[in-house]
Amino acid sequence: MPDELPPFDDDFIAGASISEPSARQRAGRRRPRVRLPRPPRRSSRSSRRSARGGSGGEAMGYLKASGLVGGVVLVLGAAATGMWWLGRDDSSARSSVTFRSPSPTPAPSDFFAGSPAASYEDGEAGIVMPAAAAMAGLSRTDVEAAYARVKRILVAADLDPATVYDGDTKALAGALDPGQAKGLASRRVWMNAFAPGSAVAATPTVKVHGTVTPSAAKDGLTVRTDHNFVYAVHPPKRPDRVQRVVVRRTVTFTVSREGGDVRVWISRMGRVAAPAPCSITDGWIRPIYPGDPGGGGASQTEDPYDMSKPPVYDGGCRQVIGT
């Protein structure tokens, strides 16, 4: 049974690479000869004095010499033990062992460093509603209430941790109009939710940037939202493989007054996530992590942070140039 390896600290393990010599190499080595100093020879006169009791100084000198010899023996014995440890023959162990430790997890502030997301607002602060004003037959108070409902829906669908990482629909169902709150489990595209077992939050912070644009319509007020939500995630039990996932999501809301109540209704939506496989159609978001095979073959490239153009929801596959 091979000897149990001694414990090492993280710094040693991170860079250690140990190669043990083969049996042939060890057999060809000449073991160093260890010579121990001989104890001092006593003269016949000193022997006779010792037999008679001798002087105290001579006895002390002999004890010092004996102590020196004992110390040398201990030191050489420890050296021999160390040589045995390095040259031991563990036939069941591999001839070469490399120890690696995961890269240190960066601080939360570093997950978005070096990307446009670093300048985005955190969470709800990135969803900025316009100043409420009376329009499309609605009072200022009605519009203000509609804006509050729109923001609540976006937060529940795109920022609530239970929604995003657990696929829970309760928060979104509670924010939607009762007529649209049923059957959300089969409409995953209505929210930003990572597929079960595909992503763990590297940080609870979600970076958000976008616009909210109201306009008057024939049947009431139209509110169009267009936001980038940037999540820092990693696979389960692999905090060393952090990936930023950019999800651009547009939602069009229709606001009207019915029966004395202000009604907020989702009339249209679209979403695109990167980096993620192009072939997924079940509504879940599945990140592509560093080292994963990408979706090659795309003829077009796209910057997921470029919001100067309207999003394209044609089901096509595009190569992402950076997240």
Side-chain angles (χ1 to χ4, degrees):
M1 182 174 180
D3 297 326
E4 185 176 350
L5 293 178
F8 300 106
D9 58 31
D10 293 338
D11 292 337
F12 179 87
I13 294 177
S17 180
I18 301 175
S19 297
E20 296 183 357
S22 65
R24 179 176 297 177
Q25 289 173 325
R26 286 192 294 273
R29 289 182 180 176
R30 296 183 60 187
R31 294 191 177 182
R33 299 178 62 184
V34 180
R35 298 194 179 194
L36 300 179
R38 295 180 179 180
R41 299 180 61 181
R42 292 178 294 176
S43 64
S44 59
R45 178 180 298 178
S46 62
S47 299
R48 287 193 299 270
R49 287 183 179 178
S50 297
R52 291 193 301 268
S55 65
E58 292 175 336
M60 184 61 67
Y62 179 76
L63 290 176
K64 288 182 179 180
S66 301
L68 176 62
V69 172
V72 172
V73 171
L74 289 175
V75 171
L76 293 177
T81 301
M83 292 170 61
W84 170 84
W85 172 259
L86 293 177
R88 74 193 190 286
D89 183 11
D90 290 341
S91 57
S92 62
R94 292 182 296 177
S95 61
S96 178
V97 181
T98 301
F99 298 95
R100 297 183 184 274
S101 63
S103 302
T105 303
S109 59
D110 295 336
F111 289 124
F112 305 101
S115 74
S119 62
Y120 285 9
E121 297 291 341
D122 294 352
E124 295 185 36
I127 305 175
V128 181
M129 308 306 296
M135 61 187 305
L138 299 172
S139 67
R140 178 181 174 277
T141 302
D142 291 339
V143 174
E144 191 173 44
Y147 287 166
R149 175 61 68 87
V150 167
K151 185 168 184 175
R152 181 185 172 194
I153 292 172
L154 294 179
V155 170
D158 309 309
L159 298 177
D160 187 283
T163 302
V164 176
Y165 297 106
D166 299 332
D168 197 326
T169 62
K170 293 185 180 67
L172 181 55
L176 289 172
D177 184 277
Q180 292 186 313
K182 298 178 181 179
L184 286 176
S186 61
R187 288 179 281 151
R188 292 292 171 182
V189 74
W190 281 49
M191 65 201 80
N192 288 347
F194 291 99
S198 69
V200 175
T203 171
T205 300
V206 179
K207 291 292 189 175
V208 184
H209 176 72
T211 59
V212 179
T213 307
S215 60
K218 183 185 298 183
D219 54 352
L221 175 66
T222 297
V223 180
R224 187 177 186 277
T225 65
D226 183 1
H227 291 88
N228 261 0
F229 297 90
V230 187
Y231 308 88
V233 298
H234 63 77
K237 300 181 181 180
R238 288 301 305 272
D240 57 312
R241 300 181 65 196
V242 176
Q243 173 65 54
R244 289 187 295 268
V245 178
V246 184
V247 182
R248 185 173 183 181
R249 200 161 108 87
T250 58
V251 186
T252 300
F253 298 87
T254 298
V255 182
S256 62
R257 174 172 280 281
E258 296 182 15
D261 295 326
V262 176
R263 190 177 189 185
V264 178
W265 190 267
I266 294 179
S267 57
R268 185 181 302 174
M269 70 174 56
R271 187 191 72 189
V272 60
C278 302
S279 58
I280 303 300
T281 59
D282 59 5
W284 293 100
I285 298 173
R286 291 176 172 82
I288 295 177
Y289 292 102
D292 289 350
S299 59
Q300 295 178 316
T301 59
E302 184 173 309
D303 180 0
Y305 291 103
D306 183 6
M307 302 184 71
S308 62
K309 302 174 183 178
V312 179
Y313 303 128
D314 59 0
C317 193
R318 294 169 177 79
Q319 189 72 30
V320 177
I321 63 175
T323 58

